[in-house]
Amino acid sequence: NAGVMQNPRHLVRRRGQEARLRCSPMKGHSHVYWYRQLPEEGLKFMVYLQKENIIDESGMPKERFSAEFPKEGPSILRIQQVVRGDSAAYFCASSPQDGFSYNSPLHFGNGTRLTVT
Amino acid sequence: AQTVTQSQPEMSVQEAETVTLSCTYDTSESDYYLFWYKQPPSRQMILVIRQEAYKQQNATENRFSVNFQKAAKSFSLKISDSQLGDAAMYFCAYRSPNSGNTPLVFGKGTRLSVIA
């Protein structure tokens, strides 16, 4: 059973370009979470999605950032007009349809490291 | 809002010795879940151990155990018989049970070095 797959592993963008980060959840999981990890920091929650729905985006910056989880295909985190401060590791996690619990914690991908030059 | 504090940015331990990583949290809830995650240089987030707040017994997973002090809001991780492969960043995390999918709140992490 493949784990949470994120790609690309590394992404380099120049200031002003767009960054697209992809996440395929574990098989059978329909809930996806995106977290951002700044250097020497813990993971900070950004957005929680179910298929075709954004459930909680309280951690998303108000501008330039968007996320989707279509009926078919991976979840996408999109950052428009990137700036140097967007440089970070972006992690995706997934959980089963009935939500994650003590017995079914979040499963994380290996992250995408975004570098903005 | 809940917060998680890890007061030790870095720790080191001799191979085969025991080390304790500290974690405190702030919450007004009476029931919640607590987790320790390990992040090696590969960046993968690996669940190490978890604890339900209503369970008084401290969780144990092989060489990893916790000291959960609910009144003090403390959740420390003890690693016994440390191995070189234990070297990593360790993150303490909190989750509220109030709804099915509330996100994890992480501390800033402790970098553990293991000395051969």
Side-chain angles (χ1 to χ4, degrees):
Chain A
N1 188 10
V4 178
M5 304 300 292
Q6 287 189 250
N7 66 82
R9 186 118 169 91
H10 302 276
L11 182 61
V12 179
R13 286 287 179 266
R14 284 197 288 270
R15 278 182 298 169
Q17 291 184 319
E18 178 180 285
R20 280 184 180 243
L21 288 64
R22 286 176 290 278
C23 168
S24 296
M26 284 184 70
K27 187 177 181 180
H29 288 192
S30 59
H31 298 205
V32 164
Y33 308 77
W34 285 94
Y35 284 80
R36 176 164 66 175
Q37 184 179 27
L38 295 171
E40 305 304 317
E41 296 277 331
L43 278 69
K44 294 276 173 45
F45 168 75
M46 299 181 74
V47 62
Y48 159 46
L49 310 101
Q50 294 178 15
K51 287 280 188 181
E52 300 184 282
N53 280 309
I54 296 175
I55 305 303
D56 180 353
E57 56 181 349
S58 58
M60 285 276 271
K62 294 287 184 270
E63 297 178 350
R64 301 187 298 106
F65 284 72
S66 62
E68 63 176 6
F69 189 16
K71 187 176 180 181
E72 301 291 337
S75 175
I76 305 288
L77 179 67
R78 182 182 177 206
I79 311 171
Q80 295 178 291
Q81 298 177 317
V82 296
V83 300
R84 288 219 171 103
D86 297 333
S87 295
Y90 291 83
F91 286 88
C92 172
S94 72
S95 68
Q97 185 173 1
D98 61 352
F100 84 91
S101 66
Y102 176 81
N103 289 319
S104 181
L106 286 184
H107 298 266
F108 283 87
N110 286 354
T112 293
R113 182 172 296 284
L114 172 65
T115 301
V116 179
T117 61
Chain B
Q2 291 82 16
T3 58
V4 177
T5 301
Q6 294 179 249
S7 59
Q8 306 153 314
E10 295 182 356
M11 291 282 285
S12 62
V13 61
Q14 291 279 350
E15 197 175 4
E17 296 295 310
T18 295
V19 64
T20 298
L21 309 183
S22 65
C23 171
T24 58
Y25 54 93
D26 185 26
T27 183
S28 58
E29 296 172 319
S30 59
D31 194 20
Y32 43 86
Y33 302 119
L34 295 164
F35 304 84
W36 278 97
Y37 279 86
K38 170 185 177 182
Q39 187 181 44
S42 67
R43 273 207 323 258
Q44 184 182 6
M45 292 290 286
I46 303 166
L47 177 66
V48 174
I49 199 165
R50 52 198 165 186
Q51 175 86 38
E52 291 172 315
Y54 68 84
K55 288 189 176 179
Q56 293 185 342
Q57 186 173 7
N58 288 325
T60 299
E61 291 284 344
N62 301 314
R63 297 183 295 108
F64 299 87
S65 61
V66 298
N67 183 6
F68 174 48
Q69 301 288 329
K70 190 172 183 179
K73 297 179 183 175
S74 171
F75 183 59
S76 60
L77 174 70
K78 186 171 85 170
I79 306 174
S80 304
D81 186 24
S82 297
Q83 301 175 358
L84 295 177
D86 295 333
M89 284 289 289
Y90 285 83
F91 293 98
C92 179
Y94 172 102
R95 185 177 90 87
S96 166
N98 285 338
S99 63
N101 283 289
T102 49
L104 289 170
V105 177
F106 285 88
K108 289 190 175 183
T110 296
R111 184 177 303 279
L112 177 66
S113 302
V114 180
I115 303 165

